[in-house]
Amino acid sequence: GFLLVGLLLLLHLPVVVIGLARPIGRRSALSTAAAAALGPPLLLPPSLAVAKAPPPTQKEITSYLSTLVASPDPASALAFEIFSDDSEYSPSSYQFRRLDSSPDADFYSEPKLTEHIDAAAVEALTRRNSALARGRFRLLDVGASHVSHLGVLDEGVKVTGLGMNAGELKANSQLSTYNVVDLNKSPRLPYADNSFDAAFCQLSIDYLTSPILVLKEVSRVLVPGGLFAISFSDRVFMSKQVAVWSGKDDFDHLLTVAGYFGQSKREGADWDIKTIKGTVLVDGGKGDPLYEVQCQNKK
């Protein structure tokens, strides 16, 4: 197994080099090129990661983000921790290239009615989302599928799902309504300003090729003080993940998402950057890792 992976890495070394963003992450993982050679779609479990870095602790995350937010220009400090300059945030940047650039509508044409993280991570995600949703009655699930991990909803709560596959969305019993939208083709959200109290993006952020435009749109449709929580793991469809996500450790992923908030703020989103938080939902050393970055609109 290791010999095969090593051979694939050597054979596809030029592709791997092109896909790296700076600074290079602390983890040496199975490359997207190797994953593509094994045949898409491949959902990479943590067990296939090579020389995985120790997962970041909550103390490390809180301290690091606090230092960045305390800087004179916190949005820029977050934006340029992983990315070098504004040009790297462009959807046409090498940072957002993918091994499979074919239409996403083709990839998601068949419903995928399975969980992409293990049971412990599902439980932690549901518990977390339920707590964040409490007291908020208009919820948006960005990148929705057959389950929204919201637990038991309060009476009167309305959940809107925005996803890629009508079959998955129809199977989601928590959705009051849904829209089939390819955010990589059209990142404009089909909702009016101030339509939602909170939004969630679960295990989908690593596939977005225009994340800054999407975050600006989410900020627009949220009310003042509205919350956006982005959760992610290292379980991915390798052929569809963007290059900046490839070969990075969990801390790099967290800083990448925090950078999305920072850059979208610099480009006009209404985030209150001082409210940004990074949270360990499941320690990566105990199964599928799970992290969250959240931020609120200005009140």
Side-chain angles (χ1 to χ4, degrees):
F2 287 109
L3 290 176
L4 174 61
V5 170
L7 178 60
L8 289 171
L9 288 172
L10 288 174
L11 289 174
H12 293 272
L13 183 58
V15 177
V16 176
V17 172
I18 291 172
L20 288 176
R22 75 168 199 92
I24 296 174
R26 297 177 301 159
R27 182 180 65 191
S28 172
L30 181 66
S31 73
T32 55
L38 292 174
L42 173 65
L43 184 62
L44 176 68
S47 60
L48 288 183
V50 180
K52 187 173 180 180
T57 66
Q58 184 62 58
K59 183 177 180 180
E60 288 174 328
I61 292 170
T62 301
S63 175
Y64 204 100
L65 289 180
S66 296
T67 299
L68 295 176
V69 170
S71 68
D73 184 358
S76 294
L78 291 168
F80 301 125
E81 186 63 20
I82 294 293
F83 292 78
S84 298
D85 52 44
D86 289 329
S87 68
E88 290 196 352
Y89 278 106
S90 168
S92 62
S93 165
Y94 72 95
Q95 300 280 26
F96 298 108
R97 292 177 186 169
R98 300 175 298 169
L99 287 174
D100 180 3
S101 59
S102 64
D104 290 328
D106 295 341
F107 184 85
Y108 294 103
S109 61
E110 294 296 326
K112 298 176 175 61
L113 303 179
T114 59
E115 292 285 5
H116 296 165
I117 48 177
D118 64 24
V122 168
E123 181 181 355
L125 182 59
T126 303
R127 185 168 56 248
R128 177 64 166 181
N129 287 348
S130 298
L132 294 178
R134 196 165 298 125
R136 297 181 167 97
F137 292 92
R138 297 175 300 167
L139 309 179
L140 175 63
D141 186 353
V142 180
S145 64
H146 69 293
V147 60
S148 289
H149 305 106
L150 288 168
V152 179
L153 295 169
D154 294 335
E155 185 176 354
V157 171
K158 302 295 183 183
V159 183
T160 298
L162 189 150
M164 284 290 296
N165 184 278
E168 292 181 11
L169 297 170
K170 186 176 181 179
N172 189 331
S173 61
Q174 293 191 307
L175 298 182
S176 306
T177 185
Y178 64 80
N179 301 90
V180 177
V181 176
D182 182 351
L183 289 175
N184 286 341
K185 186 176 180 180
S186 177
R188 174 82 177 179
L189 302 187
Y191 314 114
D193 296 0
N194 306 320
S195 293
F196 301 100
D197 303 309
F200 302 85
C201 180
Q202 308 167 61
L203 311 174
S204 298
I205 193 66
D206 40 333
Y207 305 123
L208 294 180
T209 58
S210 301
I212 306 309
L213 296 177
V214 172
L215 263 69
K216 288 170 64 177
E217 279 291 284
V218 172
S219 178
R220 178 184 65 80
V221 303
L222 286 175
V223 298
L227 172 77
F228 188 26
I230 301 174
S231 54
F232 49 91
S233 181
D234 66 356
R235 293 288 299 260
V236 294
F237 291 112
M238 297 291 283
S239 64
K240 283 296 184 180
Q241 71 170 346
V242 294
V244 71
W245 207 261
S246 175
K248 300 294 173 44
D249 63 32
D250 298 329
F251 211 160
D252 287 333
H253 290 160
L254 187 142
L255 292 174
T256 298
V257 176
Y260 291 167
F261 277 109
Q263 182 66 10
S264 59
K265 169 69 174 178
R266 295 179 72 247
E267 294 188 15
D270 205 28
W271 305 122
D272 179 357
I273 288 297
K274 293 189 181 299
T275 67
I276 198 165
K277 297 178 182 177
T279 304
V280 180
L281 299 182
V282 177
D283 186 327
K286 301 176 181 177
D288 287 354
L290 188 64
Y291 300 88
E292 175 205 88
V293 178
Q294 63 165 267
C295 195
Q296 293 177 253
N297 261 352
K298 286 184 176 179
K299 295 182 178 179

